[in-house]
Amino acid sequence: MQLSVVIVNYNTRDLLRDCLHTVMAGTLEVEVIVVDNASSDGSAAMVADEFPAVKLLAQPTNTWFCGGNNLGIQAASGEYVLLLNPDTVVQPDALAKLVAFMDAHPNYVGVTAQLRYPDGSIQRTCSRIPTYPYLLMLHSPLKWLLPAYAKRLQAHHWYADEGFQRSASRDVEVLPGSCLLMRRRDLWLDDDLLLYFPEDDLARRFAQHRFYFLAEAQITHREKSSTQSWLATDIYFRDMLRYTRKHHGAGQAALLWALTRPIWIGMWLKARLTQ
């Protein structure tokens, strides 16, 4: 099998069903691996009953995004592995196009597709590797004190300063974890991170190599279907600090922690008041 598709699922049974139907109905024969993170909505039973060809790794506890994907990668047998979110709908030829690109370009280490919202509009995916000033300015009150500087940093981070609209293919620094294809020998996530920043960590690990955004391959993505909660927000800040400590040092992580506390507290209060 040339391609293994790894899907980590947590309580998105109906979306996962739709995703699996489109993956398995595509023009490319693939190995499909679902890692279910102890879902309580019957996701694992649905996969076992309706998709017997899928390799199901039902976990007794939540292994999160990074740990779950690593389990799937370890179980994969394909030359390439695609990490794919369960809240996606894959166009019939999308996976074949991604694999064809990698076959034709051995100097690239990874590729992603163009992701679209259900209404057809293009999602803003792919970025530059986040700089420390970007993390500091965009996640603290500094973004209100220095709005022009924060806006420039954000534009640079998302390639807006180059007019990149995600309508044409090009090299990028960071691929989205929701749709990330690499060679199996290269792909492994830092499971000290739970949900966020593994793509940025990968980009740093392969900073001397090339990643590609392939606009000709298209996938629909119902963004954030399983991460709309205070817990996910709290984990975002936790992972950001771990990523910062790893790549920028303990001192910079401590400063980031201190400056992001007002934002964290404000979001915590909002979550408490809306419960």
Side-chain angles (χ1 to χ4, degrees):
M1 196 72 67
Q2 195 174 15
L3 176 65
S4 298
V5 179
V6 174
I7 302 171
V8 175
N9 176 75
Y10 181 68
N11 287 332
T12 56
R13 180 191 59 199
D14 295 336
L15 295 173
L16 174 62
R17 179 188 289 112
D18 293 342
C19 175
L20 289 173
H21 276 304
T22 61
V23 168
M24 301 186 76
T27 60
L28 183 70
E29 185 180 0
V30 298
E31 174 186 54
V32 182
I33 300 166
V34 170
V35 182
D36 184 72
N37 274 331
S39 294
S40 59
D41 67 348
S43 290
M46 181 276 294
V47 174
D49 291 343
E50 300 180 24
F51 299 92
V54 169
K55 184 181 293 186
L56 173 63
L57 305 179
Q59 302 304 301
T61 59
N62 191 346
T63 61
W64 302 100
F65 178 84
C66 294
N69 273 304
N70 284 341
L71 289 170
I73 295 164
Q74 192 173 31
S77 60
E79 177 186 357
Y80 302 107
V81 173
L82 172 68
L83 307 186
L84 186 67
N85 273 18
D87 54 357
T88 54
V89 174
V90 180
Q91 296 303 309
D93 59 352
L95 303 188
K97 287 179 177 178
L98 293 174
V99 169
F101 175 84
M102 292 296 286
D103 281 345
H105 300 86
N107 55 322
Y108 281 81
V109 295
V111 65
T112 189
Q114 182 192 77
L115 300 185
R116 290 177 174 259
Y117 291 106
D119 66 3
S121 58
I122 299 174
Q123 289 186 13
R124 184 180 68 174
T125 62
C126 301
S127 68
R128 289 188 169 96
I129 296 171
T131 63
Y132 183 69
Y134 170 82
L135 294 172
L136 204 61
M137 292 295 300
L138 271 296
H139 299 88
S140 77
L142 292 175
K143 64 183 176 183
W144 296 307
L145 296 174
L146 300 168
Y149 181 48
K151 187 175 180 179
R152 287 198 302 273
L153 287 173
Q154 191 166 29
H156 180 74
H157 179 75
W158 290 107
Y159 296 106
D161 55 354
E162 297 181 3
F164 179 37
Q165 300 296 319
R166 280 77 184 167
S167 57
S169 301
R170 59 164 287 171
D171 281 20
V172 292
E173 290 186 12
V174 181
L175 303 182
S178 51
C179 175
L180 188 156
L181 188 148
M182 293 177 64
R183 293 176 183 86
R184 178 165 52 93
R185 67 172 186 262
D186 295 331
L187 184 52
W188 193 258
L189 305 183
D190 181 354
D191 54 16
D192 189 40
L193 303 169
L194 298 180
L195 286 172
Y196 299 99
F197 293 91
E199 315 94 327
D200 306 291
D201 181 68
L202 268 177
R204 284 187 171 274
R205 197 184 316 162
F206 291 96
Q208 304 306 313
H209 298 77
R210 302 173 74 181
F211 292 93
Y212 200 70
F213 169 81
L214 186 66
E216 292 76 18
Q218 296 181 2
I219 291 174
T220 301
H221 182 207
R222 301 176 176 95
E223 193 177 26
K224 299 179 181 177
S225 295
S226 61
T227 57
Q228 295 176 338
S229 67
W230 162 248
L231 176 60
T233 301
D234 190 33
I235 290 171
Y236 178 86
F237 281 90
R238 176 238 186 235
D239 284 350
M240 179 175 64
L241 292 170
R242 297 214 173 194
Y243 170 85
T244 302
R245 186 181 302 113
K246 178 177 180 179
H247 294 292
H248 299 286
Q252 286 84 346
L255 177 60
L256 184 62
W257 179 87
L259 289 177
T260 57
R261 284 305 87 185
I263 303 293
W264 183 94
I265 291 170
M267 297 181 79
W268 176 79
L269 286 172
K270 181 179 178 181
R272 295 277 294 183
L273 291 172
T274 57
Q275 282 181 348

